[in-house]
Structure formats: structure tokens, C-alpha cells
């Protein structure tokens, strides 16, 4: 019987797959650090935060990866509007509960 992944496990698997894709297929993507990765461990509302993090990919058209201890958005330079990135980051920080 195969174990079904919960939301956190699915998110971490997706991050690993994104890292493979970015580093092998998109080495020219620009990296935008969003939030320290270790902070995600201490959240009480991790599933809500994961949903908000997924909006970074859908809205800005990039990949979430881990780089130097940060949850980072990797995307083409032309794909990011800094106002959108700022807005999403503020919304993320507002919902995080430690």
C-alpha cells in the first residue's frame, strides 16, 4: 500500500522537483529571496502558508526553490513585477502565525 503524501510532504517534493528544473533547465533565471526557509518549521498555520506560497508561482510565473536558507522565487527577469512580488510577500508575512 502506497503512502499518500500530505500537503507539507507534497510541497517539499514539489520544491525538490522545482530545484531540479531550475538548476538544469533555467540557470539564467533571476532569484528573489522571499522568506527564510527555517521559519516555515515554526508555523502553526503551515497549510495556509503553503497555499499562499503557491500563489507566488501562479501569479509571477516562476518556481519556488530553496537557496542559501531562503524560500526563493526563481523566474525570468522579465516575468516579475516588483509591486506584485512585494504585495505577495506582505500578504504572506501577514498570515504567518508562529
Amino acid at each position: 500500500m502506497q503512502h499518500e503524501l500530505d500537503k507539507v510532504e507534497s510541497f517539499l517534493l514539489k520544491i525538490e522537483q522545482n530545484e531540479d528544473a531550475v538548476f538544469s533547465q533555467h540557470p539564467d533565471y533571476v532569484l528573489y529571496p522571499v522568506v527564510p526557509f527555517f521559519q516555515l518549521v515554526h508555523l502553526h498555520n503551515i497549510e495556509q502558508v503553503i497555499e499562499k506560497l503557491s500563489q507566488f508561482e501562479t501569479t509571477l510565473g516562476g518556481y519556488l526553490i530553496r537557496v542559501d536558507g531562503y524560500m526563493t522565487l526563481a523566474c525570468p527577469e522579465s516575468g516579475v513585477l516588483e509591486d506584485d512580488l512585494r504585495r505577495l510577500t506582505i500578504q504572506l508575512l501577514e498570515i504567518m502565525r508562529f
Side-chain angles (χ1 to χ4, degrees), residues 49-94:
V49 170
I50 287 172
E51 288 177 28
K52 180 57 77 175
L53 282 167
S54 68
Q55 288 181 4
F56 280 78
E57 291 182 332
T58 57
T59 302
L60 302 172
Y63 297 93
L64 284 172
I65 60 174
R66 293 170 295 189
V67 176
D68 294 334
Y70 279 84
M71 181 61 54
T72 301
L73 180 70
C75 59
E77 188 171 4
S78 62
V80 171
L81 296 173
E82 289 191 21
D83 288 342
D84 289 340
L85 180 61
R86 185 178 301 109
R87 178 182 49 80
L88 286 169
T89 302
I90 290 169
Q91 289 173 356
L92 173 68
L93 295 173
E94 287 176 342

Side-chain angles (χ1 to χ4, degrees), residues 28-61:
D28 58 334
Y29 273 18
V30 178
L31 303 177
Y32 297 93
V34 176
V35 66
F37 188 76
F38 76 89
Q39 286 187 339
L40 300 178
V41 174
H42 302 288
L43 293 171
H44 293 286
N45 61 335
I46 187 66
E47 291 183 3
Q48 184 181 12
V49 170
I50 287 172
E51 288 177 28
K52 180 57 77 175
L53 282 167
S54 68
Q55 288 181 4
F56 280 78
E57 291 182 332
T58 57
T59 302
L60 302 172

Side-chain angles (χ1 to χ4, degrees), residues 9-41:
E9 292 171 325
S10 296
F11 176 73
L12 292 173
L13 179 60
K14 183 176 182 194
I15 296 299
E16 287 182 28
Q17 292 167 345
N18 287 352
E19 290 166 359
D20 289 340
V22 168
F23 295 126
S24 65
Q25 300 168 14
H26 307 288
D28 58 334
Y29 273 18
V30 178
L31 303 177
Y32 297 93
V34 176
V35 66
F37 188 76
F38 76 89
Q39 286 187 339
L40 300 178
V41 174

